[in-house]
Amino acid sequence: VAALKSLFVEFEFNSLGKRIFGDDFKAGRGHAPVATPPVKSESSPSSNPVENSSPEIPAPVANLKTIKDVSHEYKIADTEEKRRHLAALLEAQPAFCFDTETVGLEPREAELVGVSFSWKPHTGWYVPVAKNADDALAPFKSVFANPKIEKVAHNLKFDVGVLLAHGIEVASPVFDTMLAHYLVEPDRKHGMDALSEQFLGYTPIPFSTLIKDEGELFERTMRDVPVEEVAEYSGEDADVTWQLREKLAPMLRERGQEQVFYDIEMPLVRVLVDMEAEGIAIDTRALAEFSIELQKTMTTLETQIHEMAGGPFNLNSPKQLGEILFEKLNLDSEAKKTKTGQYQTNEQVLETLAPKHEIVRKMLDYREATKLKSTYVDALPLAVSKRTGRVHTHFSQTGAATGRLASNDPNLQNIPIRTQLGQEIRKAFIPRGPDFLLLSADYSQIELRVMAEVSGDPGMREAFADGLDIHTATASRVYGTALENVTAEMRRTAKMVNFGIIYGISAFGLSQRLGIPRKDAAMIIDEYFKQYPGVKKYMDDTIATCRAKGYVETMTGRRRYFRDINSQNGTIRAGAERMAINTPIQGTAADMIKIAMSKIAAAIRDAKLKSRLLLQVHDELVFDMYRTEEKEMRALVEDGMKNAIPMAVPIVVELGTGENWLAAH
């Protein structure tokens, strides 16, 4: 019974659970955790590699409690006297949790409805804020600014952004339960409701029940909800988050994640708040003109494709395209089909077919133009804030398990740079005014340099130390030829191998990418490992360590767990091995740029410069640079990026300035 209940909770089989266990069964909205691979103790080695585990993750819980089942006390501070009393109580605490309630999810523009506080389980306070009445929060300004009190929140960046927009600074130290859980279980969901169910066995009040009143045709906003209901909802949020902090803080310590949490992730929160508030200017007129040109290009391509196909068909229909390519033109007699019986026509399939027929190449061009037009050229002008006239992306610290930042609403990290069409979009990103230029700072081949550092391979380190082009140097070694005799084709192959090795590429994968027989690809990889034996040793050691410990680490100590590393299924195990090899490389590069961002932002602030950090796009930072500050900015940006993590391998940062993003890159 217990095992079946646990399974139903894990997969959220509520209906089945009720049929078997009764109507009181409830699995909840969150996920049930699957135990991560435990850690072998260094101090007491065991013959069993999965003994002496890291802090245990709670087991799935059925029949979760709700606010009706738990005694609690949430007070409302709705007078000046009560607010001053609450502020005095907060000043006396070493730490407290807070949560903002707003109308809207854009922190700079959202209307603030209230703020809740908690510093003891099952208790809390709610401070309602009338419309345009920020003075209600005046007693709390000194509390939030107090550097001796830790401020706790879930998704801290949002709450800090909201308060900052209302004139309240939230000073360090801070603690974000969402980011704490992200470091403890990077591959899991990090929402407060899910964590509450996982760690506390408790389901918080659903937001939907608050804004949907029975009998009402339209949803209410948080401003329309009675204060008593908001106080119950918001007080519970602060209370639950406080309890989560008490669960997660020890886990950070026990899993060795305190340094990553306090030295990398927490300082970055305020940097991202400021970047999101800054936004970036775009040339909407240029995008409008480019949209017209793209439409003309798409129309021309459509005509050409129809002519090659021998008649019209819907280019956006995978079914019709598959029939043209594989039945009419017979480009692949062994073409794969989907579960529904259609031919596969995804980008990878088309890339493989591209050398066989011009219609495929034209189709790839058409898809690129269509995607750029809909995703960026037509969408970016709609994302311009009416208040600031700039585009404000949102950066997520929990978007990737490797530690990389993600950008969304709009996503500015996927604008292609290698194609001419993608470059036209970058042209539309411009400085804030005539006194500014855009400054782009880009790590050069950072993941390969990290690989050279962590593997210690002498050949790879020597190439970087001598300032050689690593792909040319690799081609020279693999093909046994002098540097000056390396051809463009040799370099292309070497580049594919260099980057492929980081991602655990196989001979089959390399043969697919290069369009060569698998035997030839295997020979190239074998020769690569002969020339760079340290890389092969790093890969083997990493997999062995992961199998024993259940996790891998970046140079800073950020961990990622792989419970499939010892899977009996070869395909699943191979996938885990590839990710285990890549994570320390990509994760270290991600940590480097995060550290650099915090250092550079602090340097700009300390020097009282007018220049501002605007964007982070993988290995690149983009700044609005005040023209007269160019010398100072170049120096502090290069220093911040080069020295983020001390390495023996030289780190190279490429800097450029221009009247638009493309010109600066």
Side-chain angles (χ1 to χ4, degrees):
V1 169
L4 188 61
K5 244 183 192 181
S6 175
L7 188 74
F8 282 10
V9 172
E10 179 177 348
F11 292 103
E12 299 180 22
F13 289 170
N14 276 312
S15 297
L16 281 173
K18 287 177 180 177
R19 282 167 56 186
I20 294 173
F21 299 115
D23 289 340
D24 63 341
F25 178 89
K26 185 184 179 190
R29 295 184 309 284
H31 71 289
V34 178
T36 50
V39 181
K40 183 177 178 180
S41 171
E42 299 294 336
S43 57
S44 54
S46 164
S47 58
N48 181 355
V50 293
E51 277 187 13
N52 306 314
S53 69
S54 184
E56 290 185 9
I57 305 296
V61 177
N63 306 327
L64 299 162
K65 293 182 179 180
T66 68
I67 197 165
K68 296 176 182 177
D69 307 312
V70 177
S71 177
H72 61 280
E73 184 181 21
Y74 303 142
K75 300 177 181 178
I76 301 175
D78 53 2
T79 66
E80 182 68 18
E81 183 181 358
K82 289 179 182 177
R83 288 192 287 269
R84 291 192 179 281
H85 172 64
L86 173 58
L89 291 174
L90 291 168
E91 285 282 8
Q93 307 305 320
F96 66 82
C97 179
F98 74 101
D99 180 61
T100 60
E101 299 303 333
T102 61
V103 176
L105 298 175
E106 183 59 60
R108 293 166 302 281
E109 300 178 11
E111 179 187 337
L112 183 59
V113 177
V115 183
S116 58
F117 299 92
S118 179
W119 59 91
K120 184 180 177 183
H122 312 304
T123 65
W125 283 82
Y126 177 68
V127 181
V129 178
K131 201 165 188 175
N132 302 319
D134 289 355
D135 56 336
L137 297 178
F140 306 100
K141 280 191 175 183
S142 61
V143 178
F144 281 113
N146 192 329
K148 295 180 180 179
I149 304 174
E150 182 183 72
K151 279 70 71 174
V152 181
H154 192 87
N155 191 11
L156 178 73
K157 179 163 68 70
F158 177 82
D159 295 306
V160 169
V162 169
L163 291 181
L164 192 62
H166 290 79
I168 297 177
E169 290 269 355
V170 179
S172 295
V174 289
F175 190 103
D176 187 339
T177 50
M178 182 176 76
L179 290 174
H181 183 257
Y182 167 67
L183 292 180
V184 169
E185 292 189 287
D187 288 288
R188 296 291 176 187
K189 296 176 183 176
H190 313 294
M192 190 200 76
D193 288 356
L195 299 190
S196 177
E197 291 172 351
Q198 175 180 344
F199 289 94
L200 307 177
Y202 179 91
T203 299
I205 300 168
F207 177 71
S208 58
T209 63
L210 214 65
I211 61 171
K212 288 183 179 177
D213 197 16
E214 281 190 42
E216 294 285 339
L217 294 176
F218 303 102
E219 288 185 352
R220 303 182 292 185
T221 70
M222 193 62 94
R223 178 67 72 192
D224 303 321
V225 179
V227 171
E228 291 75 19
E229 291 182 40
V230 181
E232 191 86 337
Y233 172 84
S234 187
E236 181 191 61
D237 275 3
D239 172 18
V240 165
T241 301
W242 177 258
Q243 293 183 58
L244 288 174
R245 186 237 181 270
E246 293 183 326
K247 297 280 187 182
L248 291 166
M251 296 183 75
L252 285 174
R253 183 170 58 255
E254 290 160 358
R255 292 202 169 198
Q257 296 302 288
E258 285 189 310
Q259 182 181 349
V260 179
F261 183 75
Y262 289 110
D263 295 349
I264 299 177
E265 297 295 353
M266 287 298 95
L268 190 65
V269 170
R270 179 54 194 271
V271 177
L272 296 179
V273 168
D274 291 340
M275 288 169 66
E276 292 179 1
E278 285 293 332
I280 188 168
I282 62 168
D283 186 343
T284 54
R285 182 179 297 179
L287 285 176
E289 292 172 357
F290 186 38
S291 179
I292 295 170
E293 291 301 313
L294 274 178
Q295 187 58 58
K296 290 178 182 176
T297 300
M298 289 161 58
T299 302
T300 302
L301 286 168
E302 186 174 30
T303 302
Q304 293 172 341
I305 291 168
H306 285 165
E307 288 175 357
M308 294 176 193
F313 69 97
N314 182 358
L315 270 63
N316 298 313
S317 166
K319 182 176 184 294
Q320 292 183 32
L321 176 62
E323 290 168 355
I324 293 291
L325 297 181
F326 303 116
E327 292 181 5
K328 193 167 185 178
L329 298 177
N330 195 28
L331 294 184
D332 186 355
S333 58
E334 299 179 0
K336 294 180 180 179
K337 291 186 177 183
T338 64
K339 290 180 180 179
T340 59
Q342 287 183 195
Y343 290 105
Q344 290 186 8
T345 59
N346 57 40
E347 187 174 354
Q348 186 177 354
V349 170
L350 295 187
E351 289 283 2
T352 304
L353 292 173
K356 294 185 176 182
H357 202 292
E358 191 178 0
I359 191 173
V360 183
R361 298 192 288 275
K362 295 288 185 185
M363 193 66 218
L364 285 167
D365 291 342
Y366 177 83
R367 283 190 176 176
E368 182 195 9
T370 303
K371 181 179 179 180
L372 290 179
K373 187 175 187 299
S374 62
T375 307
Y376 296 108
V377 180
D378 293 343
L380 280 174
L382 302 177
V384 174
S385 167
K386 293 178 181 177
R387 185 174 61 85
T388 66
R390 296 161 73 82
V391 171
H392 302 265
T393 187
H394 296 82
F395 291 101
S396 170
Q397 288 167 267
T398 61
T402 56
R404 276 196 168 197
L405 288 174
S407 161
N408 51 72
D409 299 326
N411 182 349
L412 300 182
Q413 294 188 331
N414 284 347
I415 300 174
I417 184 59
R418 293 180 181 85
T419 66
Q420 187 175 351
L421 292 180
Q423 290 172 0
E424 286 295 323
I425 295 174
R426 288 203 171 200
K427 271 187 187 177
F429 289 81
I430 56 177
R432 70 194 324 125
D435 295 332
F436 288 80
L437 288 172
L438 289 187
L439 167 66
S440 167
D442 200 356
Y443 277 121
S444 171
Q445 300 170 332
I446 189 62
E447 291 188 357
L448 291 175
R449 293 174 191 272
V450 173
M451 170 63 92
E453 180 72 21
V454 299
S455 70
D457 185 88
M460 191 172 272
R461 284 192 170 194
E462 182 184 346
F464 283 123
D466 292 345
L468 300 178
D469 173 78
I470 188 63
H471 305 312
T472 302
T474 297
S476 172
R477 284 173 168 270
V478 170
Y479 289 102
T481 187
L483 289 168
E484 59 270 20
N485 294 332
V486 171
T487 65
E489 185 61 28
M490 288 177 180
R491 185 185 182 278
R492 186 180 81 87
T493 299
K495 182 177 181 180
M496 191 70 73
V497 177
N498 272 331
F499 285 116
I501 291 296
I502 292 175
Y503 290 88
I505 198 169
S506 64
F508 174 75
L510 185 63
S511 70
Q512 290 285 97
R513 293 192 188 184
L514 293 175
I516 61 176
R518 191 187 305 188
K519 186 173 77 171
D520 293 351
M523 288 173 61
I524 291 173
I525 291 176
D526 288 345
E527 187 60 35
Y528 179 94
F529 286 139
K530 286 179 185 175
Q531 297 300 323
Y532 297 129
V535 173
K536 177 65 170 145
K537 184 176 186 302
Y538 158 78
M539 294 168 67
D540 292 342
D541 289 350
T542 299
I543 292 171
T545 300
C546 190
R547 282 186 180 143
K549 292 185 174 183
Y551 64 83
V552 294
E553 289 184 314
T554 66
M555 287 178 66
T556 62
R558 180 190 300 274
R559 290 183 187 177
R560 186 178 181 188
Y561 289 82
F562 293 99
R563 62 191 180 94
D564 292 327
I565 197 72
N566 292 308
S567 171
Q568 296 300 308
N569 183 306
T571 303
I572 293 174
R573 185 175 65 252
E577 289 173 356
R578 285 194 297 273
M579 288 189 287
I581 290 167
N582 172 249
T583 293
I585 309 297
Q586 194 178 116
T588 296
D591 287 340
M592 280 185 74
I593 202 161
K594 283 180 172 180
I595 293 168
M597 290 165 71
S598 295
K599 288 178 68 174
I600 293 166
I604 290 174
R605 185 172 58 250
D606 293 344
K608 296 181 170 55
L609 301 181
K610 293 181 180 179
S611 301
R612 292 291 181 268
L613 174 58
L614 306 182
L615 298 177
Q616 186 262 28
V617 182
H618 303 313
D619 303 328
E620 177 186 9
L621 298 179
V622 180
F623 300 82
D624 245 340
M625 184 190 71
Y626 196 57
R627 287 176 185 261
T628 60
E629 296 172 354
E630 181 167 356
K631 184 178 180 181
E632 196 168 0
M633 280 295 293
R634 280 179 173 270
L636 70 85
V637 169
E638 187 170 14
D639 177 70
M641 293 177 74
K642 274 187 172 183
N643 300 309
I645 297 177
M647 291 190 187
V649 174
I651 302 301
V652 175
V653 178
E654 296 172 345
L655 297 159
T657 60
E659 298 287 352
N660 60 62
W661 189 5
L662 180 63
H665 190 270

